[in-house]
């Protein structure tokens, strides 16, 4: 007798054979895995069975609740402003959190944003912010709540107490080819977001080569699943499906994305970054019940920039320090005059990663100055010989593999058929 309610092998067999797991089976397996009773190899087999067989809505809801219950759920009820967060499923050049969090805070909401570091070709918000001298990602729960009240926006690392089952399971999925299961992605993201304690949530679900979800049907299913999970846990949740076939903005890296975000906060910046920042800000303010505030005005008149400065300074960042610059650059120029018709997000993400902006393993360091600056975006007219892409790194030996990633990733032609940035809204 083990004293355990179930046997892991029976749970695995049920899902392997296409059956439905019961609530007690799910609650047990998630808890027993967190306690170390269910072994990694057993959870790997179960994750693969889930990837191949899927889960119904009740199984996903119970799995998510079990992951939340594996740790603490932050209580933000004492925060005086309405709380609202956003989550992006990740993309190339996706620096939107940087201008968005202070902007929404400047409009009267509180934005509690627990973020991650990048893995693979998609950048992590914490990596970008860590290029600011002195800025620190680690805050205690108390510091988190105080900053939320005083400044209105916090972007920091999630503490160990939040959804520990997910931390363990995500690391396992990463090395067992089981990341791409919609039930597992949805429960992983939503368990952390629900445990974070925000009252409303806006999801930016990316679609395209640079995203997890390569086609709109999959992205829609992921979005729908997450919206339903949020609702079921009392979090007002909406999702925007947005294009990630080409990078967002004109930079992909760390410090260079902070620089671009500062341009947006100063009232300028690339049109697509501004458009998405405002679209998400409007959804967040709606979720927070602040429907009569205009975020475009807060961007234009400097209020969002003031909140950015307070937010960075509260976490030790020197807002006036110059940002690290890469030592070496290599420029790709336009071979002919015309219109840039295509610039592939995945290729740019992989190139930035190979230049040192991203990491291959969780414990690897990232280079603050490395990345890709895009001097043209799809739809822009270019003239022969003008710079198209500028590769930046501290280690010139990295250029060759970064250039290889960019082979066939862009085209100069006659006219570009442009995709809208916001593809759909789900609530
Ligand atoms: N991000 C997460 O937090 N979890 C996933 O499963 C995928 C992306």
């Amino acid at each position: 007798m083990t004293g355990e309610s179930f046997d892991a092998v029976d749970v695995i067999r049920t899902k392997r054979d296409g059956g439905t797991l019961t609530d007690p089976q799910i609650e047990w397996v998630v808890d027993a895995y967190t306690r170390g009773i269910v072994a990694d190899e057993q959870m790997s087999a179960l994750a693969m069975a889930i990837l191949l067989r899927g889960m119904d809505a009740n199984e996903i809801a119970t799995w998510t609740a079990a992951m939340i219950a594996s740790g603490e759920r932050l209580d933000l009820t004492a925060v005086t402003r309405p709380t609202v967060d956003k989550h992006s499923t990740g993309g190339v050049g996706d620096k939107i959190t940087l201008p968005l969090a202070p902007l929404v805070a400047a409009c009267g909401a509180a934005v509690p944003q627990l973020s991650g570091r990048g893995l693979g070709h998609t950048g992590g918000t914490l990596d970008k912010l860590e290029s600011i001298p002195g800025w620190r990602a680690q805050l205690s729960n108390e510091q988190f709540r105080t900053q939320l009240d005083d400044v209105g926006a916090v972007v920091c690392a999630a503490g160990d107490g939040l959804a520990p089952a997910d931390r363990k399971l995500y690391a396992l999925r990463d090395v067992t080819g089981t990341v791409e299961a919609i039930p597992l992605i949805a429960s992983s993201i939503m368990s952390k977001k629900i445990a974070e304690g925000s009252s409303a949530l806006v999801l930016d679900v990316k679609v395209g080569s640079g995203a997890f979800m390569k086609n709109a049907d999959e992205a829609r299913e992921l979005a729908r699943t997450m919206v339903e999970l949020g609702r079921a846990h009392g979090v007002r949740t909406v999702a925007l499906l947005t294009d990630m076939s080409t990078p967002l903005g004109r930079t992909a890296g760390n410090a260079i994305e902070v620089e671009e975000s500062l341009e947006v906060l100063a009232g300028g910046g690339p049109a697509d970054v501004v458009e998405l920042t405002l679209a998400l800000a409007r959804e967040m303010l709606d979720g927070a019940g602040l429907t009569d505030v205009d975020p475009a005005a807060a961007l234009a008149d400097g209020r969002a920039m003031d909140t950015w400065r307070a937010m960075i300074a509260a976490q030790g960042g020197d807002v006036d320090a110059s940002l690290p610059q890469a030592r070496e650059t290599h420029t790709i120029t336009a071979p002919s005059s015309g219109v840039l018709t295509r610039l592939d997000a995945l290729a740019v993400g992989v190139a930035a990663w190979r230049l040192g902006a991203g990491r291959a393993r969780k414990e690897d360091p990232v280079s603050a100055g490395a990345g890709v600056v895009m001097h043209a975006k799809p739809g822009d007219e270019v003239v022969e010989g003008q710079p198209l892409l500028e590769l930046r790194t501290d280690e010139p030996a990295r250029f060759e593999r970064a250039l290889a990633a960019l082979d066939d990733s862009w085209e100069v032609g006659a006219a570009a058929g442009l995709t809208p940035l916001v593809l759909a809204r789900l609530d």
Side-chain angles (χ1 to χ4, degrees):
M1 282 299 289
T2 61
E4 295 294 326
S5 329
F6 295 93
D7 179 43
V9 180
D10 289 338
V11 178
I12 296 165
R13 282 198 190 111
T14 304
K15 192 39 81 184
R16 180 198 66 189
D17 297 340
T20 305
L21 301 177
T22 62
D23 289 354
Q25 275 181 317
I26 292 173
E27 284 153 7
W28 175 78
V29 82
V30 172
D31 175 57
Y33 177 57
T34 313
R35 288 185 287 123
I37 302 295
V38 168
D40 276 350
E41 55 271 26
Q42 294 177 310
M43 194 48 131
S44 309
L46 182 58
M48 185 59 81
I50 292 169
L51 182 135
L52 296 172
R53 295 293 195 170
M55 274 179 153
D56 68 22
N58 183 66
E59 286 175 294
I60 299 174
T62 307
W63 187 279
T64 307
M67 299 235 286
I68 297 168
S70 73
E72 61 180 329
R73 187 170 175 175
L74 295 186
D75 180 3
L76 300 181
T77 46
V79 176
T80 46
R81 310 165 182 222
T83 51
V84 57
D85 190 13
K86 83 106 199 192
H87 178 82
S88 157
T89 56
V92 178
D94 186 0
K95 71 273 301 165
I96 300 293
T97 290
L98 276 54
L100 181 64
L103 170 60
V104 172
C107 293
V111 185
Q113 170 116 102
L114 300 176
S115 290
R117 292 195 162 71
L119 199 59
H121 74 275
T122 60
T125 299
L126 299 184
D127 295 325
K128 301 180 211 291
L129 287 168
E130 279 174 347
S131 65
I132 301 171
W135 187 86
R136 55 174 195 276
Q138 233 66 42
L139 294 183
S140 68
N141 286 354
E142 205 36 56
Q143 289 168 321
F144 179 76
R145 272 189 282 257
T146 306
Q147 186 174 329
L148 210 47
D149 251 331
D150 293 351
V151 180
V154 189
V155 182
C156 68
D160 289 345
L162 227 58
D166 177 63
R167 189 161 311 109
K168 225 177 144 183
L169 180 56
Y170 191 68
L172 191 68
R173 287 166 56 214
D174 206 28
V175 293
T176 56
T178 52
V179 168
E180 293 88 348
I182 287 179
L184 295 179
I185 298 176
S187 54
S188 165
I189 292 173
M190 292 306 288
S191 60
K192 286 174 287 200
K193 286 288 148 181
I194 294 165
E196 180 189 276
S198 175
S199 304
L201 176 65
V202 177
L203 298 163
D204 179 6
V205 179
K206 303 284 186 201
V207 193
S209 74
F212 258 125
M213 298 290 135
K214 309 292 180 201
N215 73 62
D217 288 344
E218 283 175 343
R220 195 178 286 272
E221 188 188 336
L222 176 63
R224 169 64 48 221
T225 308
M226 293 197 291
V227 167
E228 277 165 15
L229 285 172
R231 293 277 158 112
H233 287 271
V235 180
R236 286 186 301 280
T237 308
V238 300
L240 296 186
L241 251 56
T242 69
D243 180 57
M244 188 31 72
S245 57
T246 202
L248 258 177
R250 292 176 177 268
T251 55
N254 295 307
I256 51 179
E257 291 200 38
V258 174
E259 278 166 8
E260 188 170 276
S261 303
L262 286 167
E263 287 169 23
V264 173
L265 286 162
D272 57 348
V273 179
V274 175
E275 179 188 340
L276 190 53
T277 302
L278 288 175
L280 291 166
R282 289 193 179 103
E283 294 291 350
M284 290 173 75
L285 292 168
D286 202 35
L290 298 165
T291 45
D292 53 352
V293 199
D294 176 14
L299 214 46
D301 66 16
R303 276 178 288 149
M305 178 68 99
D306 292 343
T307 306
W308 160 268
R309 292 176 67 84
M311 174 180 103
I312 297 301
Q315 287 169 249
D318 181 348
V319 280
D320 296 313
S322 38
L323 294 167
Q325 302 287 326
R327 283 194 290 274
E328 308 283 341
T329 62
H330 177 100
T331 304
I332 298 174
T333 55
S336 56
S337 297
V339 173
L340 186 70
T341 54
R342 194 171 62 84
L343 177 60
D344 182 67
L346 179 61
V348 173
V350 171
W353 175 30
R354 290 182 178 173
L355 290 165
R359 54 170 68 77
R361 288 169 309 153
K362 274 209 308 284
E363 45 295 335
D364 291 346
V366 297
S367 156
V372 178
V373 178
M374 291 156 262
H375 291 284
K377 292 287 299 283
D380 287 353
E381 290 202 5
V382 298
V383 290
E384 185 181 337
Q386 80 154 73
L388 284 184
L389 298 170
E390 186 183 316
L391 282 59
R392 299 188 180 184
T393 185
D394 289 331
E395 301 165 64
R398 290 179 176 266
F399 283 132
E400 191 180 338
R401 294 197 66 232
L403 286 165
L406 292 166
D407 266 355
D408 294 328
S409 70
W410 52 270
E411 227 167 329
V412 175
L418 295 182
T419 317
L421 185 53
V422 179
L423 303 166
R425 178 182 189 278
L426 285 87
D427 62 8

